[in-house]
């Protein structure tokens, strides 16, 4: 180990350490870095003196400037709470018609409701409530359970196929899997249902046969005209809106395996005022969607 050896190329003194013939230069720390480190240390020390910093047993050092974010946060929370108390009361108790007629309330419904929807509903129904595969479009499609605001509020409260004691049940039967209809009939029905919302591709005997099959097996829930029934929660099959897809293969899947979508019940998770707020929000969204 050589001491105070000078490197021939750089002219720097080495540290004397050597690994497999490679020697370490004893380069001094550059001045700008020193200045940076010292000024940052001074800043940190000054900051802990000025601002709330050191913890004690029961309290903490509050800092010479007396800045306390907790006080500021508590103040704005109290303000928000007081502001909300007024309208929470109204949302929970006032009838929907007079809430809908109040511009100030509806402004709040659109703002707060939008946040609440994004937090609780958008994951399934999409950020604009336009639906996702398996989750209905709430902004535009006809409501399976009815679109008057009391019904919507009730659907949100108890859910569909949920674990709520009063849940709505939506049971699209598995006609193929449970061997209620032969495959040939299901294929015919899938083609027939596909044609209900566009151009009917069946004709003659096949069309007549499909109409009979529909009347015998499907009309009790979806209606004679296939326009859906709020009593059973069965959707309209003649429009452009599909929960599970409107192509023939998806429709065949729906008929063969059945569908039982689950809408969670929100009672207990949202307050009664929030549930009514969501109903107002959804109905308002529908009124303004083209
Ligand atoms: C976990 C997914 C999920 C979440 C979260 C969810 N929903 Fe649903 N929702 C569904 C499904 C699935 C259906 C349709 C059930 C069916 O197919 O029968 C539905 C149906 C509905 C309906 C009835 C639609 C109709 O046609 O009658 C309304 C209203 C509704 N949801 C509102 C909401 C609101 C408001 C929220 C947020 C508070 C929400 N949903 C959160 C899955 C969800
Ligand atoms: C017992 C009532 C009931 C009967 C009978 C019934 N359906 Fe349904 N059907 C439903 C319900 C409820 C839904 C919605 C299920 C869901 O969203 O989870 C549905 C959904 C569907 C869908 C999916 C719609 C979409 O938007 O993706 C199709 C297609 C369908 N039914 C066709 C039929 C046909 C064809 C028959 C007759 C062979 C039939 N249904 C019989 C209740 C019924």
């Amino acid at each position: 180990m050589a001491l105070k050896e000078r490197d021939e190329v750089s002219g720097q003194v080495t540290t004397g350490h050597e690994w497999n013939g490679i020697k370490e230069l004893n380069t001094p720390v550059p001045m700008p870095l020193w200045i940076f480190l010292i000024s940052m240390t001074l800043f940190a020390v000054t900051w802990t003196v000025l601002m709330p910093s050191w913890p004690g047993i029961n309290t903490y050092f509050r800092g010479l400037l007396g800045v306390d974010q907790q006080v500021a946060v508590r103040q704005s929370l109290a303000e928000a709470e007081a502001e909300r108390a007024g309208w929470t009361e109204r949302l929970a108790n006032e009838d929907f018609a007079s809430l809908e007629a109040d511009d100030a309330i509806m402004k709040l419904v659109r703002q707060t409701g939008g946040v609440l929807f994004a937090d609780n509903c958008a994951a399934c129904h999409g950020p604009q409530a336009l639906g996702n595969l398996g989750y209905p479009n709430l902004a535009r499609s006809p409501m399976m359970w009815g679109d008057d605001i009391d019904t919507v509020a009730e659907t949100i409260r108890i859910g569909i196929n949920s674990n709520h004691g009063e849940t709505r049940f939506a049971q699209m039967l598995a006609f193929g899997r449970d061997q209620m209809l032969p495959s040939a009939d299901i294929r015919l029905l899938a083609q027939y249902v596909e044609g209900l919302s566009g151009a009917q591709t069946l004709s003659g005997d096949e069309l007549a046969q499909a109409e009979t099959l529909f009347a015998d097996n499907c009309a009790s829930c979806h209606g004679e005209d296939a326009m859906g029934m709020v009593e059973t929660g069965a959707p309209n099959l003649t429009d452009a809106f599909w929960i599970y897809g409107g192509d023939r293969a998806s429709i065949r899947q729906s008929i063969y395996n059945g569908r039982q979508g689950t809408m969670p019940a929100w009672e207990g998770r949202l307050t009664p005022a929030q549930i009514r707020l969501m109903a107002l929000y959804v109905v308002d969204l529908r009124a303004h969607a083209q």
Side-chain angles (χ1 to χ4, degrees):
M1 203 211 269
L3 280 172
K4 292 283 176 196
E5 188 189 359
R6 227 167 242 290
D7 174 52
E8 281 169 21
V9 180
S10 66
Q12 288 283 2
V13 174
T14 72
T15 59
H17 302 157
E18 180 178 342
W19 294 273
N20 296 336
I22 299 170
K23 291 173 185 167
E24 186 185 25
L25 294 185
N26 194 5
T27 315
V29 176
M31 189 51 81
L33 188 58
W34 270 122
I35 294 171
F36 176 75
L37 286 174
I38 291 167
S39 56
M40 283 302 116
T41 308
L42 285 177
F43 174 77
V45 170
T46 318
W47 195 252
T48 60
V49 174
L50 293 178
M51 304 301 279
S53 49
W54 302 104
I57 304 285
N58 294 320
T59 175
Y60 58 93
F61 176 62
R62 282 165 208 278
L64 297 183
L65 290 183
V67 178
D68 193 339
Q69 293 298 326
Q70 278 196 24
V71 172
V73 168
R74 241 178 280 132
Q75 222 159 35
S76 62
L77 273 181
E79 278 164 21
E81 196 61 43
E83 194 180 83
R84 219 178 299 141
W87 57 260
T88 304
E89 191 81 358
R90 291 189 56 195
L91 276 176
N93 300 311
E94 218 167 292
D95 62 288
F96 280 122
S98 72
L99 290 172
E100 281 177 306
D102 186 327
D103 284 345
I105 283 276
M106 289 314 288
K107 188 160 167 252
L108 191 126
V109 162
R110 282 168 207 137
Q111 281 172 358
T112 315
V115 175
L116 213 56
F117 191 90
D119 285 352
N120 295 290
C121 323
C124 290
H125 292 288
Q128 255 82 52
L130 295 176
N132 275 318
L133 189 63
Y135 304 101
N137 182 328
L138 298 178
R140 308 220 175 125
S141 77
M143 287 259 173
M144 294 179 280
W145 294 95
D147 55 12
D148 68 286
I149 191 158
D150 289 290
T151 305
V152 173
E154 184 71 352
T155 304
I156 298 170
R157 185 177 77 85
I158 60 181
I160 303 167
N161 299 328
S162 77
N163 54 10
H164 193 285
E166 298 163 52
T167 183
R168 301 192 190 285
F169 288 105
Q171 300 291 327
M172 169 64 199
L173 309 175
F175 286 91
R177 204 181 57 213
D178 291 345
Q179 299 180 345
M180 296 160 71
L181 286 176
S183 288
D185 286 358
I186 291 176
R187 220 171 301 126
L188 200 62
L189 275 167
Q191 190 175 349
Y192 172 72
V193 170
E194 184 190 35
L196 289 176
S197 51
Q200 189 53 264
T201 49
L202 290 174
S203 58
D205 282 355
E206 281 190 323
L207 179 58
Q209 200 188 333
E211 281 170 344
T212 308
L213 278 170
F214 193 90
D216 291 349
N217 297 284
C218 321
S220 57
C221 288
H222 288 278
E224 300 287 341
D225 52 5
M227 304 261 284
M229 280 167 64
V230 292
E231 292 82 2
T232 57
N236 186 333
L237 299 175
T238 68
D239 60 23
F241 299 101
W242 295 93
I243 304 174
Y244 303 100
D247 57 294
R248 202 178 303 176
S250 305
I251 294 174
R252 205 194 77 87
Q253 273 293 319
S254 294
I255 305 172
Y256 191 93
N257 286 317
R259 305 282 191 186
Q260 290 84 35
T262 299
M263 155 73 178
W266 292 92
E267 188 168 60
R269 296 201 234 180
L270 295 178
T271 66
Q274 285 175 323
I275 289 176
R276 297 185 89 226
L277 175 77
M278 288 325 298
L280 282 163
Y281 178 78
V282 168
V283 169
D284 179 64
L285 209 60
R286 296 171 67 78
H288 292 95
Q290 311 81 30

